[in-house]
Amino acid sequence: MKQLVFAFLFLMVTLTVFGQRKITGLVTNAAGEPQIGANIAVKDAPASGSITDFDGKYEITVPTDAKMLIFSYTGFETKEVEIGASDVIDVIMDEGKLLEEVVVTALGFTTKKDRSGSTASSVNKSAIKSSGEPNLLNSLGKNRVRPVIVDGVPMSNDNLYGSGSSRSGGVSQSSRINDINPEDVESIQILKGASAAALWGSRAANGVLMITTKSGKLNQKMKISVSSSYSIDEINKRHPLQSTFGQGAAGVFVEGGANSWGDKIANRSGEADALNIAGQRFEGDNGRIVYPITKKNSKQTFVDENFNQVFQQGFVTDNNITFSGGGAKTNNYFSVGYLTQEGIVKNSEYTRATVRFNNQTFMSDKFVLTTKANYVYSTGNRIQQNSNTAGLYLGLLRTPADFDNSTYKGTHISASGVATTGRQRSYRRPLGDNINPTWNNPLWTTNEQKAPNTVQRFAFSSNLNYSPVKWLQLDLRGGLDGYTDDRTYFSPIGSAAFNTGRLESEIFKNSEVNLDLIGRTEFGKLMDGQIGINGTLGFNINDRTRYSDFASSQIFLLPSDIQNFSNSRSPYEVNNNKNQIRSNRLYGILTMDYDDQVFVNLSGTQEAASSVAGTYFYPSADLAWQFTKSIIPANDILSFGKIRLSYGQVGVQPAAY
């Protein structure tokens, strides 16, 4: 046993570092539409891979000696493209025919892809895994917001700013879709447009993201799978900064000046700076003592040093173990995942632990019970960002080339000998002689300001299927999804924008309860098998509730790293909020096909919600005709042809008032 554990640990950490290059491009189909979720891999190196985002764009890092890229997508011909001198490779994928290919419908059931006339894209588990992205959202891109349906049950993909974050300040909070472990995903179906997603009513204005998780197989011995990956993140591009002129303006050096077009650095003598050691000074916590400069002589610049003290080579480790299998009447899937990430900005970090259990039990020849449960625990620390005086990048870019940021914290000693500890030193306050640094030294932002958060989430769903007769199936489906997001924002005394300190505590508690009763009929062979009719009728009740509690103080009693309101005084800001939306929907689908080549789908949803008066009807229809089965038989030039038309109408539900 010890030998097996040692072998496993030895195999978990493998890292190969060679010369690399980055290739980008666009993948489209023959109609010029972006190919979402296309898989890109390096030939003979399947571990190096990527997938296209919602706009068909991709980015992949390959070894410099790589010769070929492989582009693949379900239902399309695989293409091998030679890697030349260009770092941009665009590809047009040709549609092929995949017999009996199935897709996931808006309600979470599977159907033949040929029956659908609406627009949808699939991403399989191998494409997600080969992308190398630790978070599911990164694997698909971030430029669209769609409701997420996991195994037929809606799941929150909130990305809440809250009171401590905004588009122009604060920190960047993660989307709750990142709570999904990609290792647990069997497939992703992207329903694009109202016609494909109208069954979800007002939540489907931008389409729907359907996720199907893995399951075990009947009559299969227990299968254990262990996977481990280690990836490195590096800065893609740096903003160029000048190192010709020093701090000051109009060709004159000004210590503490706001601008960086002072004297020309190359024209200085190169000797040590002339200092005034008789007056005030700054004693850095790193041991360096800083005195006022009376004449700037040094030619030394710190552009690279200042940058490298803030940014680093990030890394991600992702370890997973899964158990799957089944007997004659039941199958199980169990997984444990643990991911750790250190970002390219120092002290930015993220950790996620996940546990999932999926079970399906055939209780009799008429009853099937499917149950799925998932628990997620994640923590992280985020760095202040964007265009504000306490943010990271603005202070870094504005720092003059001849200012050294390394001595950022210490004690200011006045000319009379009065010492003030915990002072920040920035290029605007080079001696830390003012509680307001004007702009944060970027090291103060990364090392002293904190924004930790902890998320705990539990999701549970169950589906009871009853088949009283061959042509009828009844499904009772329920789901519960709840999470708590506990956030803290801390800035010590002497921070820009928060001179007297800042402590904010914010807690979100979110829950969603969903219940569906669905009846499905299927008459597949009428009139000598030429006509098929399927029908679905369902009723849904959905309740979404969010509680938020917020407390804030921006006046600390003492300069301290203690994150506790006992070190603060009034005025305090305290508020809480409850947001609840309850809705119900009656929906139906009628599907007809003729001669296995013409398919018509009609659907409609009647919806009512607590946030708006009245009810609203959302219709949709689509038509698909495989003309290569009739008027133009498949041939060497045209192997498969399909005409499709679709129409859908959907609205946007108002927010709770």
Side-chain angles (χ1 to χ4, degrees), residues 588-652:
I589 309 171
L590 179 63
T591 301
M592 298 171 285
D593 64 87
Y594 172 73
D595 200 24
D596 202 30
Q597 61 174 296
V598 179
F599 305 93
V600 178
N601 297 282
L602 305 174
S603 66
T605 295
Q606 189 78 23
E607 182 182 64
S610 60
S611 59
V612 62
T615 63
Y616 294 86
F617 181 68
Y618 304 113
S620 70
D622 62 71
L623 169 68
W625 175 33
Q626 297 180 33
F627 58 84
T628 47
K629 287 188 175 182
S630 55
I631 61 173
I632 304 178
N635 51 71
D636 294 337
I637 299 176
L638 182 63
S639 60
F640 179 82
K642 178 180 177 181
I643 296 175
R644 65 186 184 189
L645 299 172
S646 62
Y647 166 83
Q649 180 178 328
V650 71
V652 178

Side-chain angles (χ1 to χ4, degrees), residues 184-196:
D184 294 333
V185 176
E186 179 70 26
S187 66
I188 296 177
Q189 190 78 24
I190 304 166
L191 307 181
K192 299 175 291 184
S195 64

Side-chain angles (χ1 to χ4, degrees), residues 5-19:
V5 173
F6 177 79
F8 167 67
L9 293 175
F10 178 76
L11 291 173
M12 283 179 67
V13 182
T14 55
L15 174 63
T16 306
V17 180
F18 295 108

